[in-house]
Amino acid sequence: MSNYESVFSMLGLEQWCARGETSGGGPVSMADLLAQNAGTDTPPPSIWELPFPSMDTLHEACGAFPQSRALTKGIENGFLSIKDGLSFFLDPLTQPLSWFLEGALWLFETTPWWIMIPVLLVVALLVSRSVKLVVFVAVSLLTFAFIDYYSFAAQTLAVIFVCAALCVVLGVPIGIAMSRSDRLQRAIIPVLDMLQTLPAFVYLIPLIFLFSVTEPKLYGIAIILYAIVPVVRLTDLGIRLVDRDVVEAADAFGMTDHQKLWKVQVPLALPNIMAGVNQTIMMSLSMVVIASLVSAPGLGVLVLRGIRNLELGVGLVSGLGIVVLAVILDRTTKLALARISAGQDR
């Protein structure tokens, strides 16, 4: 006798449960099979051994009650039923992302190293105004080239450049809109919480069903969804933290909402926005490694090769290479943030 069979009897559902048993029922446990072969029924458990009334446990008591597998199967079938419609809508909408990624990869891969490395050093110098950082970037890039990892590092930088730029282009306006509407903020914050806590691998599951593995937008969307949260949150927070006296002074001068936003609130919130950009770049870099599972190029491919083939050296060196890129991007954005903060303090 099953543990909860009496509950269904008390509810008068014997006939309903009987229909489920005649339609096939659930899997039989090994203990039940042994008991059937021995010609005896499974003895009822004591109160201490009473199992939690989960779906599978209730299914044992009533064959018509669905198993937990029916729930996951229902979600799977529901997604597959709308997959074609989603693909029809999302394919043209996300196609520019594939073009941007392919263009950036082509630019970083085909430009000779003796042009690309000086260009990157000039960019680092203009952004950070730090000779020490430029020397560190030069040594790092030349080391990548010396150990034949330069092309992989360039691919990683290309992917991060496109995805982080799109995160800023999309995230800053969303953050500004949130700061101007409490209702919109209350609606978007649960979505941001979900994006921030969802395991990174889970981002890839629905995207694999929607897009081909060979399409760059597959890993591009996953990276953007994973990395866009900090820039949205900190843009919203930065604008909300602007001193009310300053905003009232702008109102007293007769500024319009548009002038007040772009000439007062956004400039004062720039340190927070730059901190969000820094975190977005770091999260993009961490997601690039996971996205290598779905054909994302770069150093993540070498990390994956080290794991698959048990090549310890390849995995460790490429992992250290990612750390070096993270240090370069982190220090560059932080020095730019320090320059902005120093300019506002004058």
Side-chain angles (χ1 to χ4, degrees), residues 53 89 264 321:
F89 174 73
V264 177

Side-chain angles (χ1 to χ4, degrees), residues 63-101:
F65 198 89
Q67 293 178 288
S68 58
R69 173 58 183 154
L71 176 66
T72 56
K73 190 68 178 175
I75 294 174
E76 182 180 326
N77 290 336
F79 181 79
L80 292 176
S81 65
I82 62 172
K83 180 179 78 70
D84 292 339
L86 278 176
S87 297
F88 180 78
F89 174 73
L90 291 176
D91 258 337
L93 196 65
T94 56
Q95 189 56 38
L97 177 58
S98 285
W99 296 336
F100 290 148
L101 287 168

Side-chain angles (χ1 to χ4, degrees), residues 53 66 79 118-119 122 158 185 188 319 340:
F79 181 79
V119 168
V122 170
Q185 187 196 43
I188 291 181
I340 292 171

Side-chain angles (χ1 to χ4, degrees), residues 143-223:
T143 303
F144 279 128
F146 188 69
I147 61 175
D148 287 331
Y149 279 27
Y150 170 76
S151 60
F152 294 99
Q155 290 170 352
T156 302
L157 286 176
V159 173
I160 291 174
F161 173 75
V162 172
C163 293
L166 288 175
C167 284
V168 174
V169 169
L170 298 173
V172 171
I174 295 173
I176 291 174
M178 286 174 62
S179 69
R180 298 168 76 84
S181 169
D182 292 338
R183 183 175 298 177
L184 183 64
Q185 187 196 43
R186 286 195 295 271
I188 291 181
I189 279 182
V191 178
L192 297 179
D193 290 341
M194 185 195 70
L195 291 176
Q196 201 163 18
T197 55
L198 204 63
F201 286 99
V202 179
Y203 285 95
L204 303 177
I205 295 173
L207 296 175
I208 289 172
F209 284 92
L210 290 175
F211 306 111
S212 168
V213 177
T214 58
E215 291 181 291
K217 59 187 174 185
L218 169 58
Y219 60 81
I221 293 173
I223 295 171

Side-chain angles (χ1 to χ4, degrees), residues 2-284:
S2 299
N3 301 303
Y4 293 96
E5 193 172 325
S6 57
V7 176
F8 288 97
S9 299
M10 289 172 59
L11 296 174
L13 298 174
E14 296 94 340
Q15 293 184 353
W16 178 63
C17 293
R19 286 200 297 272
E21 290 172 358
T22 54
S23 62
V28 180
S29 67
M30 183 60 70
D32 290 339
L33 285 174
L34 292 174
Q36 288 175 12
N37 290 335
T40 58
D41 198 359
T42 306
S46 66
I47 189 66
W48 299 108
E49 298 172 337
L50 186 68
F52 186 81
S54 64
M55 293 181 71
D56 287 344
T57 303
L58 294 176
H59 177 80
E60 291 177 3
C62 174
F65 198 89
Q67 293 178 288
S68 58
R69 173 58 183 154
L71 176 66
T72 56
K73 190 68 178 175
I75 294 174
E76 182 180 326
N77 290 336
F79 181 79
L80 292 176
S81 65
I82 62 172
K83 180 179 78 70
D84 292 339
L86 278 176
S87 297
F88 180 78
F89 174 73
L90 291 176
D91 258 337
L93 196 65
T94 56
Q95 189 56 38
L97 177 58
S98 285
W99 296 336
F100 290 148
L101 287 168
E102 289 170 349
L105 288 169
W106 175 84
L107 179 65
F108 276 72
E109 288 177 337
T110 57
T111 305
W113 64 270
W114 46 270
I115 294 177
M116 182 56 72
I117 291 179
V119 168
L120 292 176
L121 295 180
V122 170
V123 172
L125 182 62
L126 292 175
V127 173
S128 67
R129 303 289 173 84
S130 169
V131 176
K132 290 182 180 177
L133 179 66
V134 173
V135 172
F136 177 72
V137 174
V139 171
S140 301
L141 293 178
L142 292 175
T143 303
F144 279 128
F146 188 69
I147 61 175
D148 287 331
Y149 279 27
Y150 170 76
S151 60
F152 294 99
Q155 290 170 352
T156 302
L157 286 176
V159 173
I160 291 174
F161 173 75
V162 172
C163 293
L166 288 175
C167 284
V168 174
V169 169
L170 298 173
V172 171
I174 295 173
I176 291 174
M178 286 174 62
S179 69
R180 298 168 76 84
S181 169
D182 292 338
R183 183 175 298 177
L184 183 64
Q185 187 196 43
R186 286 195 295 271
I188 291 181
I189 279 182
V191 178
L192 297 179
D193 290 341
M194 185 195 70
L195 291 176
Q196 201 163 18
T197 55
L198 204 63
F201 286 99
V202 179
Y203 285 95
L204 303 177
I205 295 173
L207 296 175
I208 289 172
F209 284 92
L210 290 175
F211 306 111
S212 168
V213 177
T214 58
E215 291 181 291
K217 59 187 174 185
L218 169 58
Y219 60 81
I221 293 173
I223 295 171
I224 290 172
L225 288 176
Y226 184 72
I228 198 172
V229 177
V231 72
V232 175
R233 283 190 189 277
L234 289 175
T235 300
D236 172 42
L237 179 66
I239 293 178
R240 286 178 180 271
L241 288 178
V242 172
D243 196 340
R244 288 187 179 275
D245 293 339
V246 177
V247 177
E248 289 175 1
D251 291 332
F253 277 105
M255 285 186 172
T256 62
D257 287 344
H258 185 268
Q259 289 173 328
K260 193 167 57 180
L261 174 67
W262 293 107
K263 293 185 178 180
V264 177
Q265 291 174 310
V266 169
L268 290 176
L270 209 50
N272 281 313
I273 296 174
M274 284 299 296
V277 172
N278 173 275
Q279 291 303 306
T280 290
I281 293 173
M282 293 298 103
M283 292 181 70
S284 300

